[in-house]
Coordinates of all heavy atoms in Angstrom, one line a residue:
P401 N 49.3 44.7 -7.5 CA 50.1 43.6 -7.1 C 50.6 43.7 -5.6 O 50.6 42.8 -4.9 CB 51.4 43.6 -8.0 CG 50.9 44.3 -9.2 CD 50.0 45.4 -8.7
Q402 N 50.8 45.0 -5.2 CA 51.2 45.2 -3.8 C 50.1 45.1 -2.8 O 50.3 44.6 -1.6 CB 51.9 46.6 -3.7 CG 53.3 46.7 -4.3 CD 53.2 47.0 -5.8 OE1 52.1 47.1 -6.4 NE2 54.3 47.1 -6.5
V403 N 48.9 45.5 -3.2 CA 47.8 45.5 -2.3 C 47.2 44.1 -2.2 O 46.7 43.7 -1.1 CB 46.7 46.5 -2.8 CG1 45.4 46.3 -2.0 CG2 47.2 47.9 -2.7
K404 N 47.3 43.3 -3.3 CA 46.7 42.0 -3.3 C 47.3 41.1 -2.2 O 48.5 41.0 -2.1 CB 46.9 41.4 -4.7 CG 46.4 40.0 -4.9 CD 44.9 40.0 -5.1 CE 44.4 38.7 -5.7 NZ 44.9 38.5 -7.1
T405 N 46.5 40.5 -1.4 CA 47.0 39.7 -0.3 C 47.4 38.3 -0.8 O 46.7 37.7 -1.7 CB 45.9 39.5 0.8 OG1 45.5 40.7 1.2 CG2 46.4 38.6 1.9
D406 N 48.5 37.8 -0.4 CA 49.0 36.5 -0.7 C 48.3 35.5 0.3 O 48.7 35.4 1.4 CB 50.5 36.4 -0.6 CG 51.0 35.0 -1.0 OD1 50.2 34.2 -1.6 OD2 52.2 34.7 -0.8
F407 N 47.2 34.8 -0.2 CA 46.4 34.0 0.7 C 47.2 32.7 1.0 O 47.3 31.9 0.2 CB 45.1 33.7 0.1 CG 44.2 34.9 -0.2 CD1 43.8 35.2 -1.5 CD2 43.9 35.8 0.8 CE1 43.0 36.3 -1.7 CE2 43.1 36.9 0.6 CZ 42.7 37.1 -0.7
Y408 N 47.6 32.6 2.3 CA 48.2 31.3 2.7 C 47.2 30.4 3.4 O 47.6 29.3 3.9 CB 49.3 31.7 3.7 CG 48.9 32.2 5.0 CD1 48.6 31.3 6.1 CD2 48.6 33.5 5.2 CE1 48.2 31.8 7.3 CE2 48.1 34.0 6.4 CZ 47.9 33.1 7.5 OH 47.4 33.6 8.7
F409 N 46.0 30.8 3.4 CA 45.0 30.1 4.2 C 44.7 28.7 3.7 O 44.3 27.8 4.5 CB 43.7 30.9 4.2 CG 43.9 32.3 4.5 CD1 44.0 33.3 3.5 CD2 44.1 32.7 5.8 CE1 44.3 34.6 3.8 CE2 44.4 34.1 6.1 CZ 44.5 35.0 5.1
L410 N 44.8 28.4 2.4 CA 44.5 27.1 1.9 C 45.3 26.0 2.6 O 44.8 25.0 2.9 CB 44.7 27.1 0.4 CG 44.0 25.9 -0.3 CD1 42.5 25.9 -0.1 CD2 44.3 26.0 -1.8
S411 N 46.6 26.3 2.8 CA 47.4 25.3 3.4 C 47.0 25.0 4.8 O 47.0 23.9 5.4 CB 48.9 25.7 3.4 OG 49.1 27.0 4.0
I412 N 46.6 26.1 5.5 CA 46.1 25.9 6.9 C 44.8 25.0 6.9 O 44.7 24.1 7.7 CB 45.7 27.3 7.5 CG1 47.0 28.1 7.8 CG2 44.9 27.1 8.8 CD1 46.7 29.5 8.4
F413 N 43.9 25.2 6.0 CA 42.7 24.5 6.0 C 42.9 23.1 5.5 O 42.2 22.1 5.9 CB 41.6 25.2 5.3 CG 41.0 26.2 6.2 CD1 41.5 27.5 6.3 CD2 39.9 25.9 7.0 CE1 40.9 28.5 7.1 CE2 39.4 26.8 7.9 CZ 39.9 28.1 7.9
H414 N 43.9 22.8 4.7 CA 44.2 21.5 4.3 C 44.6 20.7 5.6 O 44.2 19.5 5.8 CB 45.5 21.4 3.4 CG 45.1 21.5 1.9 ND1 44.2 20.6 1.3 CD2 45.4 22.4 1.0 CE1 44.1 20.9 0.1 NE2 44.8 22.0 -0.2
S415 N 45.4 21.3 6.5 CA 45.7 20.6 7.7 C 44.5 20.4 8.6 O 44.4 19.4 9.3 CB 46.9 21.3 8.4 OG 46.5 22.6 8.8
C416 N 43.7 21.4 8.7 CA 42.5 21.4 9.6 C 41.5 20.2 9.2 O 40.8 19.6 10.0 CB 41.7 22.7 9.6 SG 42.6 24.0 10.5
L417 N 41.5 19.9 7.9 CA 40.6 18.9 7.4 C 40.9 17.5 8.0 O 40.1 16.7 8.2 CB 40.7 18.8 5.8 CG 40.1 19.9 5.0 CD1 40.3 19.7 3.6 CD2 38.6 20.1 5.3
C418 N 42.2 17.3 8.2 CA 42.7 16.0 8.6 C 43.0 15.9 10.1 O 43.5 14.9 10.6 CB 43.9 15.6 7.8 SG 43.5 15.6 6.0
L419 N 42.8 17.0 10.9 CA 43.1 17.0 12.3 C 42.0 16.3 13.0 O 40.8 16.5 12.7 CB 43.2 18.4 12.8 CG 44.5 19.2 12.5 CD1 44.4 20.6 13.0 CD2 45.7 18.5 13.0
N420 N 42.3 15.5 14.0 CA 41.3 15.0 14.9 C 41.1 16.1 16.0 O 42.0 16.5 16.7 CB 41.7 13.7 15.6 CG 40.6 13.1 16.4 OD1 39.7 12.5 15.8 ND2 40.6 13.3 17.7
L421 N 39.8 16.5 16.1 CA 39.5 17.6 17.0 C 38.6 17.2 18.1 O 37.7 17.9 18.5 CB 38.9 18.8 16.1 CG 39.8 19.2 15.0 CD1 39.1 20.1 14.1 CD2 41.0 20.0 15.6
S422 N 38.8 16.1 18.7 CA 37.9 15.6 19.8 C 38.5 15.9 21.2 O 39.7 16.1 21.3 CB 37.8 14.1 19.7 OG 37.1 13.8 18.4
L423 N 37.6 16.0 22.1 CA 37.9 16.2 23.5 C 38.6 15.0 24.1 O 39.7 15.0 24.6 CB 36.7 16.5 24.3 CG 36.8 16.5 25.8 CD1 37.7 17.6 26.3 CD2 35.4 16.5 26.5
K424 N 37.9 13.8 23.9 CA 38.4 12.6 24.4 C 38.9 11.7 23.3 O 38.1 11.2 22.5 CB 37.3 11.8 25.2 CG 37.7 10.5 25.7 CD 38.7 10.5 26.8 CE 38.2 11.2 28.0 NZ 39.2 11.1 29.1
M425 N 40.2 11.6 23.1 CA 40.8 10.9 22.0 C 41.1 9.4 22.5 O 41.6 9.2 23.6 CB 42.1 11.6 21.5 CG 41.8 12.9 20.9 SD 43.2 13.8 20.2 CE 43.7 12.7 18.9
V426 N 40.9 8.5 21.6 CA 41.1 7.1 21.8 C 42.3 6.6 21.1 O 42.4 6.7 19.8 CB 39.9 6.3 21.4 CG1 40.1 4.8 21.8 CG2 38.6 6.8 22.1
F427 N 43.3 6.2 21.8 CA 44.6 5.7 21.2 C 44.6 4.2 21.3 O 45.0 3.6 22.3 CB 45.8 6.3 21.8 CG 45.9 7.8 21.6 CD1 45.4 8.7 22.5 CD2 46.5 8.3 20.4 CE1 45.4 10.1 22.3 CE2 46.6 9.7 20.2 CZ 46.1 10.6 21.1

Side-chain angles (χ1 to χ4, degrees):
Q402 289 83 0
V403 172
K404 181 78 164 288
T405 302
D406 183 11
F407 299 122
Y408 69 92
F409 311 97
L410 193 58
S411 58
I412 289 178
F413 279 89
H414 271 304
S415 64
C416 286
L417 290 177
C418 301
L419 287 175
N420 188 79
L421 300 168
S422 297
L423 166 72
K424 177 66 67 175
M425 295 181 66
V426 181
F427 294 93

